Amino acid sequence: MEKVIYALWTPTGEDLEKFYARLREEVAPQLLKAGARGLQLNVRDKVIAAARDNDREANRPLMDAVAHVWMDSAVNEYRKPFDDILNAATSRIAGYLVSESLPMPNTEFPSVMGQRTKGIAQVVFMKRPPRLTPEAWMDLWHGDQTRLAVELQNNFYYCQNVVVRPVTHGAPPCDAIVEECLYEEAITDGRYRFRGKDFDDRQKNAWVFLENTAKMVDFDKIDVIGTSQYVFKNPGV
C-alpha cells in the first residue's frame, strides 16, 4: 500500500464553502468507491478563518485543500482513477508519493469517520534548503526537530511525510509534507500554539522551536495552511 498526498485548488469562480462541501459529500465517496484504502481531506473552511494570519505562501496561489489517499499502488496506471476524480473536481492538482511517519498519533480526539476532527490541522509543504545535503536535512528534521515538535507545540497529532517523488505534472518542488493538529484555542489565539504554564513560558517554547526550525527550512520557501481535518477511512481498516 502507498500514500499519495494531493494539493487541490478550487475551480475558478466556485464558492469555497460549496467546493469544500462537494469534496466531502461527492468526491470523498467517489474516491472510496474507486478503491481508496484510506482517505482524509483537509479544507481551509470558515471554521479556521481566524487562523489565516499564520498561513504562509511560497507557491502562489496557495492550495485550497489537501487530499490524503492510500492506495494499493501509486504506479500511474493504478493511480489514474484517483487522479481523474480529483482533476474533474478541481482546477488543478499536485500529487506527491510520500513515506509516512507518525510520531504522535491522535489518541486524544479519535476521528469520527466523515466528521470534522477537533482543533486546527496545520499542513506544511517544505523544501530542503540548498545549503543542506539530503542527509544533513533529514538528520535535523528527524532529530531535534521531531522531538521539539512533539514536546513544545500544543498539539495532539503530528504526522511527517517524506516526499518520494511528485506523481502529477507541474507539481511544485516539495521535499516533505507535515500535518500537526493543534488544540481548538490555537484557532483564535496564536499563544496557544505552544505549550507552557503561562504566556512567557509559551513564548520561550515558541522561540526555541522556531529557532531550531530555521536551521532546516527557509520560512519564505514553505507553504503553510490551517485546515479542518476530515477522516473518511483509516488505512488498512
Side-chain angles (χ1 to χ4, degrees), residues 4-235:
V4 177
I5 295 180
Y6 297 89
L8 310 175
W9 284 263
T10 311
T12 303
E14 182 170 4
D15 175 79
L16 280 173
E17 293 302 318
K18 288 183 178 179
F19 173 61
Y20 298 144
R22 189 161 57 82
L23 286 178
R24 297 192 307 267
E25 297 166 10
E26 298 177 19
V27 176
Q30 292 173 14
L31 293 168
L32 292 172
K33 186 177 180 179
R37 298 278 295 274
L39 177 62
Q40 176 187 311
L41 294 177
N42 292 70
V43 297
R44 299 177 71 208
D45 58 12
K46 60 185 178 183
V47 180
I48 49 82
R52 292 278 167 79
D53 287 346
N54 293 290
D55 290 353
R56 289 181 176 271
E57 185 177 30
N59 294 290
R60 294 179 172 83
L62 267 177
M63 63 287 296
D64 297 303
V66 179
H68 309 245
V69 185
W70 287 259
M71 56 191 71
D72 290 325
S73 173
V75 170
N76 293 351
E77 177 184 352
Y78 300 107
R79 195 192 67 252
K80 186 176 184 300
F82 304 108
D83 288 7
D84 288 347
I85 291 168
L86 293 171
N87 270 315
T90 65
S91 64
R92 175 188 171 196
I93 69 172
Y96 305 90
L97 174 64
V98 301
S99 174
E100 180 191 63
S101 176
L102 197 56
M104 180 186 280
N106 175 10
T107 58
E108 190 168 354
F109 302 112
S111 300
V112 177
M113 298 302 101
Q115 296 186 23
R116 183 183 181 276
T117 304
K118 283 185 177 292
I120 176 173
Q122 180 169 273
V123 184
V124 184
F125 291 74
M126 302 190 301
K127 289 178 63 178
R128 174 180 60 83
R131 66 178 179 274
L132 295 173
T133 65
E135 294 78 14
W137 188 67
M138 290 298 294
D139 283 345
L140 285 170
W141 183 26
H142 285 183
D144 283 346
Q145 187 67 11
T146 297
R147 177 180 59 82
L148 294 175
V150 171
E151 292 179 358
L152 300 184
Q153 290 192 116
N154 200 22
N155 53 8
F156 57 88
Y157 174 79
Y158 180 56
C159 179
Q160 300 172 322
N161 300 279
V162 177
V163 172
V164 178
R165 60 183 174 89
V167 294
T168 59
H169 294 298
C174 181
D175 296 298
I177 303 168
V178 169
E179 183 185 9
E180 46 213 3
C181 288
L182 307 168
Y183 290 94
E184 206 80 24
E185 298 93 333
I187 297 176
T188 54
D189 192 336
R191 293 176 298 181
Y192 287 95
R193 287 177 170 262
F194 294 90
R195 304 186 195 278
K197 61 182 182 294
D198 54 33
F199 176 67
D200 288 341
D201 200 31
R202 293 178 189 276
Q203 287 287 85
K204 182 189 71 174
N205 287 339
W207 174 256
V208 171
F209 177 77
L210 294 173
E211 186 177 40
N212 196 75
T213 303
K215 297 176 183 178
M216 60 165 291
V217 299
D218 295 325
F219 288 116
D220 63 341
K221 300 293 192 301
I222 62 175
D223 290 313
V224 181
I225 58 171
T227 72
S228 291
Q229 181 198 86
Y230 290 82
V231 177
F232 291 86
K233 183 179 181 181
N234 286 318

